[in-house]
Amino acid sequence: MAIPAQAPPAEEVVADPVPPPDRRRSILARIWGVYAIRRIVYALSVVWLVTTGTFFMIRAMPGDPVEVLAGKLSMSGLTMDVARVRAEQALAWDPNANIFVQYFEYLGNLLRGDFGMVIGLHNTSVLDHIMKYLPWTLFSVGLGVVVAILLGMGVGMIMAYYRNGLFDHIMSAVASTLSAIPNYLGAMALILIGSTWLGLFDFWDMRGRISIGVEPGFTGEFIGDALYHAILPLITYAFTITGGWMLVMKASTTEVLGEDYVTVARARGLKGRRIGMSYVGRNSILPLIPQVALAIGTLVGGAVIVEKILFYPGIGELLIGSITTRDYPVIQGVVLILTCAVIFTNLLVDLLNSWIDPRIRKEGAST
């Protein structure tokens, strides 16, 4: 009797807990293919590069915090050697340590949210010190952006409705001229023409953030006085960006006016005002909403010179004063905040645009 042949035992398949290199690369490729992740990595890389560049460049400037602080202490009668020792002891870091040791110590503190301590102010953190100035910059910049957007969008829509007419030609020339003027030149022109030549306002009386004797609080006196002192930077910011919003709104409205649903609405006999408010205006403004954050971030970053010219103590005034006294922690903190304001508002605009228009994500994935 023949014994049937037995099938060979099946080989045991042992799962490999570690994915092969090709699989790991494919996982990383899929992760990197996400548009938002790539944009966030790019933004963080730029912030790191600017932070690193600022750290080393300010230390390459002539003078250092020890010399500046020792010079102030020596005016009280101390010898220069004693003043230098006390100045070194007043710093929150070792100025004699290797610069790369200082750099990595700074990065480590920064990752923990520690911006350092202000030189010359006892137990005052850099972040708390900056927050005394930053809200004033945001206040003036924010009001300027609101005025520019409302004015620019309104005029731009009228330009589109009457395109190729006299009003369109005049306002297009005005808008092109305004958009080409840097904000610091606008500030100087405002002082020269408005105060010196025409005498429309007293520039020296409008300096500062609030008048002497006015107590901060949610009162009509404080709000009115703060608006009075913020008028000049507000006009400067609005004056220099209104032209750009006029041109952008004109282009967006012109494009919407050529859409089929506007033609159909006209064919149905709808009134021009209803078409303008319900169809044209709303659809023209929608693509411009993400650019609001970009405008605010750009103006905050460019407020340094304007605030110095107008004697408005905001974040720009703080930065200039810190450079003069070689206050490294404050300089680094202000530059970091201004950089983040510009970079992350750009990031926000990119992410919003990619969410509104998925074609951006697809085009980014192919590059």
Side-chain angles (χ1 to χ4, degrees):
M1 180 178 180
I3 299 176
Q6 296 181 352
E11 296 181 359
E12 294 184 1
V13 179
V14 179
D16 187 359
V18 180
D22 291 341
R23 184 180 175 187
R24 288 198 297 268
R25 282 195 294 268
S26 64
I27 294 174
L28 292 176
R30 285 198 298 270
I31 295 175
W32 184 249
V34 178
Y35 181 80
I37 292 179
R38 291 201 312 278
R39 299 308 304 169
I40 292 173
V41 172
Y42 290 151
L44 293 176
S45 300
V46 173
V47 171
W48 172 73
L49 288 174
V50 173
T51 301
T52 302
T54 302
F55 181 90
F56 288 102
M57 282 192 296
I58 61 176
R59 283 160 177 78
M61 294 190 303
D64 59 67
V66 175
E67 291 182 4
V68 175
L69 189 56
K72 293 180 180 179
L73 294 175
S74 64
M75 297 176 64
S76 62
L78 298 176
T79 64
M80 198 61 188
D81 292 336
V82 175
R84 179 175 289 275
V85 171
R86 292 194 178 181
E88 291 180 355
Q89 294 174 348
L91 301 182
W93 76 94
D94 183 7
N96 299 315
N98 182 276
I99 190 170
F100 292 102
V101 174
Q102 297 181 42
Y103 169 69
F104 287 110
E105 182 181 356
Y106 167 68
L107 285 185
N109 293 334
L110 200 60
L111 291 175
R112 294 193 297 269
D114 182 6
F115 283 61
M117 306 298 291
V118 181
I119 299 175
L121 294 180
H122 184 64
N123 291 333
T124 302
S125 70
V126 169
L127 192 57
D128 292 339
H129 192 55
I130 291 175
M131 292 308 298
K132 295 178 182 179
Y133 292 83
L134 183 60
W136 296 97
T137 297
L138 295 177
F139 174 67
S140 60
V141 168
L143 288 177
V145 171
V146 170
V147 172
I149 290 175
L150 294 178
L151 184 60
M153 286 186 171
V155 176
M157 184 177 293
I158 298 174
M159 291 166 60
Y161 269 98
Y162 298 98
R163 58 188 178 276
N164 298 324
L166 180 61
F167 179 81
D168 178 29
H169 291 311
I170 294 176
M171 296 312 299
S172 294
V174 171
S176 300
T177 303
L178 292 179
S179 60
I181 299 177
N183 52 18
Y184 61 88
L185 287 182
M188 290 188 288
L190 183 62
I191 297 173
L192 181 63
I193 298 174
S195 180
T196 305
W197 291 356
L198 301 179
L200 298 177
F201 54 85
D202 185 359
F203 169 67
W204 300 106
D205 184 60
M206 301 178 71
R207 294 179 302 165
R209 297 179 294 201
I210 56 175
S211 302
I212 299 175
V214 177
E215 295 293 332
F218 291 100
T219 61
E221 181 186 13
F222 170 73
I223 295 174
D225 191 71
L227 285 171
Y228 171 73
H229 287 274
I231 286 177
L232 295 184
L234 185 156
I235 293 176
T236 300
Y237 299 136
F239 179 78
T240 52
I241 67 173
T242 297
W245 283 99
M246 289 166 58
L247 296 176
V248 171
M249 188 62 185
K250 173 190 172 183
S252 180
T253 304
T254 302
E255 182 179 355
V256 172
L257 287 172
E259 296 291 341
D260 293 338
Y261 56 83
V262 176
T263 304
V264 172
R266 288 171 174 168
R268 290 172 56 191
L270 296 179
K271 295 182 178 180
R273 177 176 297 181
R274 182 178 177 185
I275 294 175
M277 298 299 296
S278 301
Y279 293 89
V280 179
R282 183 172 56 187
N283 290 285
S284 299
I285 294 174
L286 186 61
L288 306 182
I289 292 177
Q291 298 185 27
V292 176
L294 182 60
I296 294 176
T298 303
L299 283 180
V300 170
V304 176
I305 303 178
V306 172
E307 291 179 350
K308 188 63 178 178
I309 293 174
L310 298 177
F311 292 93
Y312 188 78
I315 197 73
E317 179 78 10
L318 175 62
L319 178 60
I320 298 297
S322 302
I323 293 174
T324 304
T325 59
R326 299 297 189 270
D327 195 332
Y328 292 168
V330 175
I331 298 173
Q332 293 166 170
V334 172
V335 172
L336 178 60
I337 288 178
L338 294 180
T339 301
C340 290
V342 176
I343 298 301
F344 287 113
T345 49
N346 274 278
L347 174 64
L348 178 61
V349 170
D350 285 342
L351 296 180
L352 285 175
N353 285 334
S354 66
W355 178 69
I356 294 173
D357 188 356
R359 292 174 297 179
I360 297 177
R361 296 195 299 268
K362 295 178 181 180
E363 292 175 0
S366 61
T367 58

